Amino acid sequence: MALRANIRLVLTLVVLGLGLAAVVGRLAWVQVVQRRQILAHSYIDQETLQAMNHLLARGVFKPTASGRVAVDQAALALAVPQPDKRRRLLYCAARARLYPGDKKFDPRLLRVLAPGRRPGRRKVVRGRILDRLGRPLALSRLDQARGVQRRYYPLGPAAGHLLGFHHPVFGNHGLEAALDPVLTRHDPSLTGPEPLPGLGQPRLGTEVRLTIDRDLQKKAFQALDGRPGAVVILDVATGGILAAVGAPAFDPNQPDPAAWRAARTRDQGRGLRAKPWEVTYPPGSTFKLVVAAAWLEYKARTKLPDPVIMHTGRDPWLRISDIKAYGRVDLQKALYKSCNVYFARLGVSLGPAVPAVAARLGFNRPLELLPTDEGISLVTTPSLAYAAWRYRRRPAGGRGHVSRRLVKFTTFRRDPKIVAQCAIGQNLVAATPLQMALVAQAIANRGVLLLPRLVAGIGNPARRHGYRAQGPVPGGRVMSRATADTLARAMRLVMTRGTGRRAGKMFIAGRPLQMAGKTGTAETGRPGEKPHAWFVGFAPAGRPRVAIAVVLENGGLGSQNAAPLGVRLLGEALGAQPAQQAKKNRRGEKS
Amino acid sequence: MPEARSPSLAGQLPRLMVMGLALGLALAGVWVALGGVAGLAAGRAYLTSLNQAYLVMLWAFIIRVAASLHSRPETAPAEVPGMWPAAAWMLGLAAVLLVWGGLGARRVVAGDWASLLALGLPMVLAAAGGVFTLWVLERWGGLREPVVPAVVFCLFALGLSLLIRVGAEMGAVGRREILSYLAWRHAAWFGVGLAAMAGTALLASPRRLARLARKKYLLPVGAAGLLVVTWLVGPEINGRRLWLVVGQMSLQTVEAVKLLMVLFVASYFSYEHPQVINGLPMGRRPGVLSVVGPYTLMLGLPLLALAVQKDFGPAVLIYTFFLVMLYLAAGSRWLVCGGLLAMVAAGAVGYWLHLPRMLHFRVRAWLDPFEASEHLTRGLWSLADGGLWGTGWGVGSPQTVPLSYSDFAFVSLAEELGFLGGAAVVALFLLLAWRGMVLAAGCRDPQDRLLAAGITVMITLQAVLVLGGVTGLIPLAGLTLPFVSHGGSSLVVNMIMAGLLIRIARDGPAS
């Protein structure tokens, strides 16, 4: 019997054959016709590839046996300062394959999806960012008509440096970018407001609760009043950041695309850097707290007495001078009068002990602000203590990848003049406002450092297991209790008879609030510029609850400009009022 | 005498033309290969032209085998059945040589003879086993079937070359140790499969098949029992329950269920079904159970598979197989179309209800692979990288696709061999389907006919589902590609089916 005679068999064969022919057709479509378009979905540019190979050579990326790329986050933060570039590199590294022994990334193993095409991320409404009391700092609004979301920031520019931004066109930046994996993760316990036409019930992203206090953040921004500078306020007991403000700030609610483009491109986007933890300034006299702490630790070991000098106003050998001569100066007086000569000599005699104490306080390394076990990371720019960046362009002389490396100062004997300048917070010393607030916090905490943190909890607190609260992150004891207490007493004297005595007073229920602080006036090193004004401190002096660091760029004298601002904000954080207002209130009560 | 039985020279003309084309292609392949070797001697890059020669030879092989599609043992005794399977092994050995060259050029393996031996030994052993099995079948089994072993061996040789290639790449980079032994495991399972094929071809006499047909209800009940056991004790891997672990081996129960179903459907529709339609002799009517029972089983098994495995691939395969067999045995065209439409509708409803979840996920990935599935996206990149002629053996990067050795084996092949190689694999399945239907048509006994057709439909249908899935034509079904993919139980079961086909080719026309 021939096949042709059996129509059922023939028809079945034809149907099966059509199925196979369809496969061949599809294969031709994919492999021949649409080939270029499909390969265009794969996206790795030469610049990124070069940067990745460079980082591989430097050991920032490491191969693992499974082929996944291990990333040294801290080293990456040091090597690539630009956050968006760093994010792109991390995105590519997560999709690359690298096996032990590989000297370079194989571009064919680096097939990554083009930017913006992430599977399964589309329909989640980005989660809100809340302050410590649950008030929104950033929220996404759905456009009913178009089904797109827009991010809205209730504080506007006041939280610009803190939050960064999320924009459908101009991308993610700062904290918003760092929190992206959490915010875009669907939280099933949250129910959306209303179903959208064509989209169904919107799926809401996980909410993140910060340690920030919204009112304080707003007050701090208003207190800066447009002057360029930054304020960081820390909770002494938990290490949480209560406010982090930078000015001038970009308004992320800005609708004008030209303004967005300008902000992203002007000075290579420098204006968008978070001043509280991404910009370093010479700390000036506030760094004397660190030198004093180093001395007191040294003294506890060697039982030496505090040095006492006869101060004539200048030291010709170290080329350090003060505005006037103070006569007989001991450690306490040197602190509250902020005596440069005393600390320059102290720094020269202490040598490498000062950067050692500074390193314990958080200098010379990037600090992590977010809980990394959630898969998120935001690191600060390292503050420098007796160290500097050395920049290198690769390939040398060409237009290539610029990398930088932290180089520590080691020639203490050979360069006493540099050591002297460092000891008064100039030259090779630079600190972020957050770092100086940490110094104040460590002193207020009687010598125990709590590492800074931004996130109070992730998830929905209404659900029992859906909320992951983030506790304090201990940073260890950085100085002895006696040292911290001595420094705290000296800082109290700064506010009563020293450089901060004219900074004003704040009152709680009619009683003056005791404060401790240290002012600073830091030369910028550029001729013709006014110095940076600094203030670090904490309050109440007896039982500290909040610590602060204020810097005003080119603000003039710290005692006249930064200190009043710091005093006022410390008072605001504790619910105190300035003198006239307090009097007015009392009068009002009487009448 | 062949001349005496063949109708005329004009009737033989198409076949002669096809054979001439195959010969011409083979000569062209030799010419290109010689050019490649000459280039090699001159120190030039040789892999491209040698791989092109390989593709040309592959197509020459396919066309030559296609010329034998309608050959019948009684009309063409001059056909040597063992010749084209041997040619398939030559293709496999050539592939290993090219893999060695390609991987050596990329310094994945050392380019010395020891590494060639290490790469090629599984293939040599498999070839020796395959030739030996054919010799045994010719000697004692009266082998008269040239096409089925040729196609099966060619598919297996391609698959084994791919496993050798992917395994070497993964072993070289110290990825997962177990993967570097892929080829050895696969070759060992092939030995088991050869024994099963030879055993089936030698032992499955018409008498035994008839005896099996009397106990046919044990088959689906056994299949259901297997599924339930998998449900109860099988481990859940990747969210699905497909495996039954016995000691070191893990068996995919669906494969065994497939074989049992083929046997059952053939038996039922050849004996019981005509009685249901025509009535029993003496005017007795069949019992309710023999009318309703089989259909219940046929519809129940896919549902059971769906519930047990949380995966719709095997369920779709078994269900569609039943529908096609229903048409083949009973000729009910509308019932089949309605059944298929009902399946598509159920799939759409399941997609909306997210039930099972796997279905929703796969359909979404199919609708927009670049948005929803990185796995499919990598597969498509791999395919597109291949282009028309492919990257060449050992030169592409199929190991970047997850499961490149099992479910996505075809993608890996199509990357390294290009569109021409991928189409060649599809053509091999078409040859198998065609030859199976020819064999079915040649059978006198309805059970043999349905058995041959059922085996053909089962293998081809699975191939269509897998190939369409990995190329993005239909939602991914998560099945193995018969004879090509790595997978012991799948290979053995498919080899048993091939053995049945070989046996039926001998017995069918006679009995």
Side-chain angles (χ1 to χ4, degrees), chain B residues 347-355 360:
Chain B
V349 170
Y351 172 65
W352 281 112
L353 294 179
H354 291 235
L355 218 158
H360 180 83

Side-chain angles (χ1 to χ4, degrees), chain A residues 506-507 572 576-587:
Chain A
M506 298 291 282
F507 296 87
E572 300 265 19
Q577 288 161 325
Q580 305 92 346
Q581 216 179 334
K583 272 180 205 157
K584 222 181 287 167
N585 284 1
R586 228 175 306 155
R587 220 175 290 143

